[in-house]
Amino acid sequence: MAAPSPGPREVLAPSPEAGRRAATSTSGRRGLLWRLRDKQARLGLFEIGPGHELHQLTCMMQTGLWAATQVSMDHPRTGPPTEEDFCEVLTQVHEGFELGTLAGPAFAWLRHSLGLAEEDYQAALGPGGPYLQFLSTSKSKASFFLSHDQRFFLKTQRRREVRALLAHLPRYVQHLQRHPHSLLARLLGVHSLRVARGKKEFFIIMLSVFYPAGRISERYDIKGCEVSRWVEPAPEDSPVVLVLKDLNFQGKTIDLGPQRSWLLHQMELDTAFLRELNVLDYSLLMAFQRLHEDERGPGSSLIFRTVRSVQGVQSPEEPGSQNRRLLPDTPNALHILDGPEQRYFLGLVDLATVYGLRKRLEHLWKTLRYPGRTFSTVSPARYARRLCQWVEAHTE
C-alpha cells in the first residue's frame, strides 16, 4: 500500500552552536552518495574528526538531527501514528543547508515503542561526539556511518528506495506491533539533506545490529547465494573490521540449542512479510561473540540471565502466528540470541529493494550470465524461501 502524498512544512531550525559553525562550510556539496576513495585499502571504522574529508558534512547531519529530534521532544506523541503522521515532511532551514524529516511523528512513536528516550537519541546523533565512518564490503555506492557510541547506524539511500520504505512504513509498523521481537532492522528515521543549492540526498537511521560491539569476533552478511559472495579475510590479528559473506561461512554452523526453533519460526514470519511487500535482496547480518565462563553453564543459562520478555500482540486473524521469547538484559537485545558457547547478533537489513521491472531484467541477465549458479536477484518468494533454508541448514 502506498502512502498518500506527504504534506510539507518548512521551519527555521534551532541548532546547537557547534553544529551551526560547521554548517557554514561548503565542503559537503559533493553530496552523500559519492564514491569513497581507496575503499579496499581502508576497510573498517574511522573517526570522522577535523580534517577528515566528510567532517563538515557529518557536522551538518548532526546539527540537523539535533534540531529534528528537538521537534519530537517539544511535541511528544500521545498515541499510535495517524495517516497524516506517515505523510508528514518537515524541512528545517539551517545556515548553509536544509534537513528534511520524513514521517517524523511516526518514527518518534516507533522509537518510543522501543523504549528509546528521545534525549538519548538526540545526544547520540547530535554534535556531542564525532560519527564513525564504516567502509563496507557492499557493492552499493551508499555511505555508512555509526554514531560515536556505535548504537545507531546511518546509511545513504536512493530516492526510489526511500519512496519504497515510506510506502511500506504503515505495514512495517504494524508488523513490529504484532511481532515486537522481529529480526527486521529497527528503522528510526528517514531524512533528506540539501547543502546550499545542491542536490537533495537521503539517508536513514536504524539501530545497529552489531551493538554492543565489544568482543565481537566475526561479522557476516548472508544472502543465501554464491555469486559475488566472497570477501578476502583480513590477516590474523588485523585491526581491520570486515563483514564477510556467504562463501566465507562454508563449513561453519550456528549453535543455538533451544533457541534454534525460535529463530527458524521468526525467519519464516519476517521473510513472509517481506515477500508480501514484493521485497528482495535483503541480508541477514550475523556476528559472533564468545560468552565468558560466568555467562555459560546451567546456573547462568539464558533463562536465569533474562529479566525481560516480549510478546506479540494477539490477532484474531492469526491465532497461531505469535512467537515469544525472553530477551537478554543487554542494550539492543532485540537482535541477540545466546547459544551454549556463543552470543549471536542477528538482524535482517536492506529492506527497500522492490522486485520491479529493473530487478526482473537483472534476473534475466544473471540467469544467462551465471547458468547453474545461485545469485541474489530472484523473485521475492524464492529469495525468502532460500534464505530460510540457508538458516535451517547452518544452525543446530
Side-chain angles (χ1 to χ4, degrees), residues 256-267 323 395-396:
L256 290 171
Q259 292 277 11
R260 180 175 183 267
S261 60
W262 179 88
L263 176 62
L264 295 180
H265 184 39
Q266 193 60 51
M267 281 291 299
N323 191 21
T395 54
E396 57 185 28

Side-chain angles (χ1 to χ4, degrees), residues 28 30-37 39 44 48 52-54 57-58 61 131-146 152-158 161 201-206 350:
R30 289 168 291 186
L32 290 170
L33 291 172
W34 62 288
R35 188 185 296 270
L36 297 167
R37 299 192 303 271
K39 189 173 184 180
I48 305 177
H52 189 286
E53 55 196 355
L54 296 177
L57 181 61
T58 55
M61 295 170 70
Y131 284 172
L132 303 175
Q133 180 187 15
F134 178 63
L135 299 180
S136 81
T137 54
S138 169
K139 286 191 171 184
S140 75
K141 296 181 181 180
S143 298
F144 303 86
F145 306 100
L146 286 166
F152 302 108
F153 188 83
L154 301 91
K155 178 186 177 183
T156 58
Q157 298 271 199
R158 296 182 177 89
E161 295 170 334
E201 308 287 354
F202 296 89
F203 65 95
I204 65 171
I205 304 170
M206 62 184 187
D350 297 336

Side-chain angles (χ1 to χ4, degrees), residues 147-164:
S147 59
H148 64 87
D149 60 0
Q150 299 190 42
R151 188 177 185 186
F152 302 108
F153 188 83
L154 301 91
K155 178 186 177 183
T156 58
Q157 298 271 199
R158 296 182 177 89
R159 185 184 294 268
R160 67 172 180 270
E161 295 170 334
V162 167
R163 279 199 291 260

Side-chain angles (χ1 to χ4, degrees), residues 24-73:
T24 61
S25 170
T26 60
S27 63
R29 291 183 183 178
R30 289 168 291 186
L32 290 170
L33 291 172
W34 62 288
R35 188 185 296 270
L36 297 167
R37 299 192 303 271
D38 304 323
K39 189 173 184 180
Q40 293 302 320
R42 299 167 52 218
L43 287 169
L45 283 174
F46 300 88
E47 184 176 294
I48 305 177
H52 189 286
E53 55 196 355
L54 296 177
H55 179 248
Q56 302 298 338
L57 181 61
T58 55
C59 283
M60 295 179 194
M61 295 170 70
Q62 291 179 312
T63 299
L65 291 173
W66 185 94
T69 309
Q70 190 64 44
V71 171
S72 64
M73 292 167 61

